[in-house]
Amino acid sequence: MSAVQFDADLIRRYDTAGPRYTSYPTAVAFGPFTEDEYKAHAYLSNEDPIPLPLSLYFHVPFCDTVCFYCACNKIVTKDHSKAETYLQYLFREIEMQAKLYDRDRMVEQLHWGGGTPTFLSHDEMRALMDKTREHFSLHITDEGDYSIEIDPRSVTAETIGLLREIGFNRFSLGVQDVDERVQVAVNRIQPIAQTLAIIDACRAYGAKSISVDLIYGLPFQTVESFRQTLDTIIEMSPDRISVFNYAHMPNLFKPQRRINEADLPSPETKLQIMQLAVEHLTAAGYEYIGMDHFAKPDDELAIAQRQGTLHRNFQGYTTHADCDLVAMGVSSISSVAECYSQNAKTLEEYYAALDTGHLPVIKGLTLDDDDVLRRYIIQQLACHFTLNFTQVERLFSLAFAEYFSRELELLQPMVSDHLLQFTDTGLDVTPRGRFLIRNICMVFDVSLRKQSVQQRFSRVI
Ligand SMILES: C[S@@+](CC[C@H](N)C(=O)[O-])C[C@H]1O[C@@H](n2cnc3c(N)ncnc32)[C@H](O)[C@@H]1O
Ligand code: SF4
């Protein structure tokens, strides 16, 4: 059980901009990277004596309407024919990517993200999954972890039935806040009954896991209003709840300019809301997994954390550890062998590359030995709140105290602040330190030591 203790004073002091470590190094460190480099890693990944299974990600960038807070990579349009064109190109990418990987590599994990994957029509959803099955080896039973992000406003119970039929077994629903005033201010009107109907449908169709996204820090939110939102969602009893911090960065995300800054809760109120969320959800029986995530004790994320098999990748926390992640669609990021590779971020660039018979790779990174080592350490900390120095020494053939002398020094103030403690074999993050896990991870992040990089991340509060 991963207890978490909320210490407002400590959080105030450690409130600094930092990444959520869905990868290490993070995407801001990506640089020039070619299609050929990506292909070389893909071929290399087949050469392992026992090649890893695959994880497939598909990015569907379209949304019907814009939510003003949104920081996702999306295209807002009412023109559904855009999806038709997009799928034709995505199919080409599927064909090209599939050729790089041995056919006997099973797809253990599959995810549709966005934007809004449920922008696609039922026929398009079916066609995309058929195309995927034609070119990759997908499970026909519920063995795989096949998940999709759903905007409850864009689906019916029938859609959920269809998604189950084509192979999805985990559903993640965007809710954000149930308060009407908040919903109006962020341009996302979503009646509670609509969300509940979709959760009921997921359950009726035998979903293995249902997850709900909430955001704190939105306009007009108060401690009391957020308590209502939490109570409403707890009543619906999803298996997982994510509580994201709203990062107001209107310079980076244009729609956020339509949010009136005067309506945003103060940092102090945000802190209180955060505290409420942690205490209320844990009291309701949810376990704190880490970063922004909570799960019921019998959800497989919580089980994996207890068993030490939890991992973290671009999709967040996952039980499917050792996979090569092949990401398709505009702006998506693959993680294959020892590289990260990102696709073109605009449709124009994405289509242009595929039109000339090329994979739309625009940037990425080949990990060196030090990156692989630090990635392992950050994963251990983010997933398990503990680090075994002896194990690191054994796995990477180094003397921990010598290699990480600077980091051990930087950790000292965190020991004095009771965020962590050293043990005979390594370090343990305390319940007070768990909420500040990204600050602890940042100590091991060398790419972050460059100031300019740090300014591109959101703060804790
Ligand atoms: C791609 S959306 C989910 C699917 C669907 N488009 C929807 O909104 O229901 C992913 C999630 O990112 C979160 N999100 C988006 N913008 C955010 C922001 N600026 N700060 C924090 N969380 C954000 C929301 O919780 C949202 O549900
Ligand atoms: S939150 Fe979801 S529906 Fe809203 S704009 Fe972002 S991706 Fe689209």
Side-chain angles (χ1 to χ4, degrees):
M1 158 104 186
S2 85
V4 61
Q5 200 181 325
F6 193 91
D7 186 324
D9 253 2
L10 214 53
I11 292 169
R12 239 179 248 118
R13 264 199 292 135
Y14 279 88
D15 179 27
T16 167
R20 290 195 150 64
Y21 293 112
T22 49
S23 72
Y24 179 82
T26 58
V28 291
F30 293 179
F33 193 74
T34 64
E35 177 188 14
D36 285 343
E37 284 174 279
Y38 170 70
K39 284 183 175 172
H41 282 276
Y43 293 137
L44 208 66
S45 74
N46 292 324
E47 299 300 311
D48 271 350
I50 308 172
L52 297 178
L54 296 179
S55 170
L56 302 184
Y57 174 80
F58 297 91
H59 193 78
V60 181
F62 305 106
C63 299
D64 250 322
T65 57
V66 67
C67 311
F68 295 156
Y69 56 80
C70 185
C72 301
N73 195 301
K74 67 196 173 295
I75 295 158
V76 181
T77 178
K78 298 263 183 228
D79 178 1
H80 283 250
S81 71
K82 287 200 171 155
E84 215 178 294
T85 312
Y86 183 71
L87 280 191
Q88 284 167 9
Y89 281 94
L90 188 58
F91 287 1
R92 272 194 230 171
E93 193 190 0
I94 291 174
E95 287 165 13
M96 292 166 73
Q97 289 273 15
K99 284 198 186 113
L100 305 176
Y101 297 95
D102 288 348
R103 188 62 206 246
D104 58 359
R105 297 178 69 179
M106 284 307 289
V107 176
E108 293 296 347
Q109 195 184 28
L110 178 147
H111 186 79
W112 288 7
T116 304
T118 45
F119 181 91
L120 301 179
S121 69
H122 287 193
D123 284 347
E124 287 166 343
M125 292 179 196
R126 198 185 284 281
L128 175 53
M129 195 60 111
D130 283 350
K131 186 78 185 173
T132 310
R133 285 189 190 276
E134 187 188 329
H135 292 276
F136 288 95
S137 299
L138 268 59
H139 288 290
I140 42 170
T141 59
D142 258 340
E143 238 171 296
D145 176 347
Y146 295 174
S147 56
I148 177 167
E149 289 166 21
I150 288 179
D151 180 343
R153 298 170 303 164
S154 66
V155 293
T156 59
E158 200 193 342
T159 318
I160 304 299
L162 170 92
L163 292 169
R164 264 313 263 144
E165 187 197 321
I166 63 177
F168 287 103
N169 47 37
R170 287 156 177 82
F171 299 88
S172 169
L173 279 62
V175 175
Q176 329 312 347
D177 194 299
V178 303
D179 188 281
E180 239 186 274
R181 193 166 180 218
V182 177
Q183 293 191 352
V184 170
V186 300
N187 196 37
R188 185 181 178 119
I189 308 293
Q190 185 174 325
I192 293 169
Q194 193 174 33
T195 304
L196 185 59
I198 300 310
I199 290 195
D200 284 347
C202 291
R203 222 165 255 139
Y205 282 105
K208 275 190 160 181
S209 180
I210 302 168
S211 171
V212 163
D213 291 347
L214 299 178
I215 303 182
Y216 68 91
L218 294 178
F220 299 118
Q221 276 180 343
T222 62
V223 174
E224 215 22 68
S225 79
F226 207 71
R227 188 193 304 277
Q228 283 289 331
T229 290
L230 288 169
D231 282 341
T232 308
I233 299 303
I234 289 168
E235 177 80 25
M236 294 181 190
S237 195
D239 304 284
R240 300 175 193 172
I241 300 177
S242 302
V243 190
F244 297 117
N245 174 13
Y246 170 57
H248 190 64
M249 296 192 278
N251 290 338
L252 286 182
F253 307 106
K254 232 176 161 182
Q256 294 188 354
R257 292 177 203 166
R258 295 166 77 176
I259 287 181
N260 185 357
E261 282 180 20
D263 299 337
L264 292 173
S266 67
E268 206 43 44
T269 304
K270 274 186 87 174
L271 197 64
Q272 287 167 13
I273 296 178
M274 214 166 21
Q275 173 157 18
L276 171 83
V278 172
E279 290 174 356
H280 215 54
L281 289 174
T282 47
Y286 286 87
E287 288 189 6
Y288 179 63
I289 300 295
M291 305 284 177
D292 324 287
H293 299 277
F294 297 81
K296 283 185 179 174
D298 61 351
D299 184 84
E300 57 183 26
L301 277 193
I303 296 171
Q305 188 167 56
R306 284 196 296 275
Q307 294 177 343
T309 54
L310 189 68
H311 280 255
R312 193 164 166 79
N313 65 20
F314 287 107
Q315 270 101 265
Y317 287 104
T318 165
T319 53
H320 283 266
D322 298 323
C323 287
D324 280 311
L325 168 64
V326 183
M328 287 161 272
V330 65
S331 79
S332 62
I333 304 175
S334 299
S335 169
V336 173
E338 312 278 79
C339 86
Y340 296 124
S341 164
Q342 180 161 29
N343 274 351
K345 288 187 185 171
T346 65
L347 286 184
E348 294 70 33
E349 280 178 283
Y350 177 74
Y351 292 166
L354 289 162
D355 273 336
T356 54
H358 290 285
L359 282 173
V361 173
I362 48 153
K363 55 183 179 170
L365 181 110
T366 298
L367 284 88
D368 63 21
D369 290 348
D370 181 69
D371 293 332
V372 174
L373 163 66
R374 288 173 192 275
R375 172 168 70 175
Y376 171 84
I377 288 175
I378 287 172
Q379 274 252 349
Q380 289 297 309
L381 287 169
C383 295
H384 305 295
F385 301 117
T386 181
L387 184 66
N388 186 322
F389 297 170
T390 322
Q391 196 167 346
V392 175
E393 293 184 327
R394 211 175 35 240
L395 285 172
F396 295 91
S397 309
L398 53 84
F400 195 95
E402 212 175 291
Y403 195 98
F404 291 111
S405 58
R406 165 119 201 254
E407 284 77 2
L408 288 171
E409 243 171 69
L410 291 170
L411 287 173
Q412 274 308 332
M414 295 184 169
V415 175
S416 313
D417 285 334
H418 307 290
L419 262 68
L420 56 94
Q421 65 207 16
F422 289 117
T423 63
D424 289 347
T425 50
L427 71 82
D428 283 339
V429 178
T430 64
R432 279 155 64 100
R434 288 179 179 198
F435 210 78
L436 291 163
I437 189 66
R438 53 180 192 162
N439 299 64
I440 301 171
C441 291
M442 279 157 74
V443 169
F444 290 92
D445 182 342
V446 278
S447 66
L448 197 68
R449 293 192 191 145
K450 297 172 204 136
Q451 264 298 319
S452 59
V453 172
Q454 205 174 352
Q455 271 145 22
R456 296 166 69 173
F457 295 106
S458 58
R459 303 168 78 83
V460 175
I461 304 173

